[in-house]
């Protein structure tokens, strides 16, 4: 009987987050047996047959480790070098040519880079991270954002095309009200 799964070996192991991501007939798990100090590399299909609970625990443990590592790096980061390094949370607001993008997380590749003792020190400071109310944001040129996170931009623009309620209009600051009038003149609503 399996006590614990210690490691998983597969070329795309870093991208696999749940047991269902493991392709059939591929990969190996490093298994520790109950009542035995020995460890063995076992074919993934064999482990799935009699150790599904251990596999779930392994992926839960990896998810938690990743969450802790991401949280530690997010506290330290001041800049990012590319929008490909982050996961898009959503767009919060806009200026004339920029969107304020909430950082939803870091990509696996960027976490790996940060975790490497040398690479993490060499981040080109293209986008400054702004912290507000416990969340992290970056101001991004609208063309760059549209190129990388087009679905996020489309959702924001679609939201911008819905006519605001009178209460929302009343609560707008001068910049938002100017945007509203500009959109109204352009026939958005």
């Amino acid at each position: 009987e399996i006590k614990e799964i210690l490691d998983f070996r597969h070329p795309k192991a870093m991208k696999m987050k749940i047991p269902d991501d493991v392709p059939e007939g591929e990969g190996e798990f490093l298994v520790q047996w109950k009542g035995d100090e020995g460890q063995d590399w076992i074919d993934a299909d064999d482990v799935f047959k009699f150790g599904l609970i251990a596999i779930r625990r392994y992926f839960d443990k990896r998810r938690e480790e990743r969450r802790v590592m991401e949280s530690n790096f997010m506290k330290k980061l001041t800049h990012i070098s590319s929008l490909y390094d982050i996961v898009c949370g959503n767009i919060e607001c806009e200026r004339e040519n920029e969107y304020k993008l909430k950082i939803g997380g870091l990509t696996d590749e960027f976490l790996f880079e940060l975790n490497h003792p040398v690479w993490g020190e060499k981040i080109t400071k293209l986008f400054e991270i702004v912290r507000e109310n416990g969340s992290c944001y970056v101001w991004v040129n609208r063309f760059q954002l549209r190129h990388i996170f087009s679905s996020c931009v489309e959702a924001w623009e679609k939201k911008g095309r819905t006519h605001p309620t009178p209460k929302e209009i009343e609560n707008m600051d001068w910049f938002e009200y100017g945007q509203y009038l500009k959109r109204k003149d352009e026939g958005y609503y």
Side-chain angles (χ1 to χ4, degrees), residues 95-106:
R95 290 183 190 156
E96 193 63 35
N97 290 318
E98 292 180 308
Y99 287 122
K100 183 180 180 183
L101 177 71
K102 183 175 183 178
I103 299 175
L106 303 175

Side-chain angles (χ1 to χ4, degrees), residues 86-111:
I86 61 171
V87 176
C88 177
N90 58 348
I91 296 173
E92 294 291 317
C93 66
E94 62 182 296
R95 290 183 190 156
E96 193 63 35
N97 290 318
E98 292 180 308
Y99 287 122
K100 183 180 180 183
L101 177 71
K102 183 175 183 178
I103 299 175
L106 303 175
T107 61
D108 292 331
E109 293 80 8
F110 190 51
L111 275 177

Side-chain angles (χ1 to χ4, degrees), residues 19-110:
D20 293 345
D21 290 346
V22 179
E24 197 172 318
E26 295 181 26
E28 292 178 315
F29 287 101
L30 179 61
V31 173
Q32 183 169 5
W33 303 102
K34 275 190 179 171
D36 186 8
E37 294 302 313
Q39 301 170 357
D40 296 312
W41 284 100
I42 307 290
D43 186 58
D45 288 348
D46 293 336
V47 178
F48 269 101
K49 287 177 190 166
F50 55 90
L52 191 57
I53 293 169
I55 293 173
R56 286 191 182 124
R57 274 195 228 118
Y58 169 75
F59 279 104
D60 288 346
K61 187 173 102 181
R62 280 202 34 215
R63 258 195 311 277
E64 183 58 26
E65 287 169 356
R66 184 192 188 287
R67 191 190 62 72
V68 168
M69 185 168 64
E70 184 177 68
S71 145
N72 289 340
F73 282 126
M74 284 304 293
K75 288 175 188 169
K76 297 175 192 172
L77 272 180
T78 57
H79 292 77
I80 56 170
S81 53
S82 167
L83 294 179
Y84 290 111
D85 294 340
I86 61 171
V87 176
C88 177
N90 58 348
I91 296 173
E92 294 291 317
C93 66
E94 62 182 296
R95 290 183 190 156
E96 193 63 35
N97 290 318
E98 292 180 308
Y99 287 122
K100 183 180 180 183
L101 177 71
K102 183 175 183 178
I103 299 175
L106 303 175
T107 61
D108 292 331
E109 293 80 8
F110 190 51

Side-chain angles (χ1 to χ4, degrees), residues 128-142:
E128 183 180 357
I129 294 176
V130 180
R131 299 179 196 295
E132 293 176 9
N133 303 326
S135 297
C136 297
Y137 303 93
V138 286
W139 283 98
V140 182
N141 179 297
R142 68 176 58 220

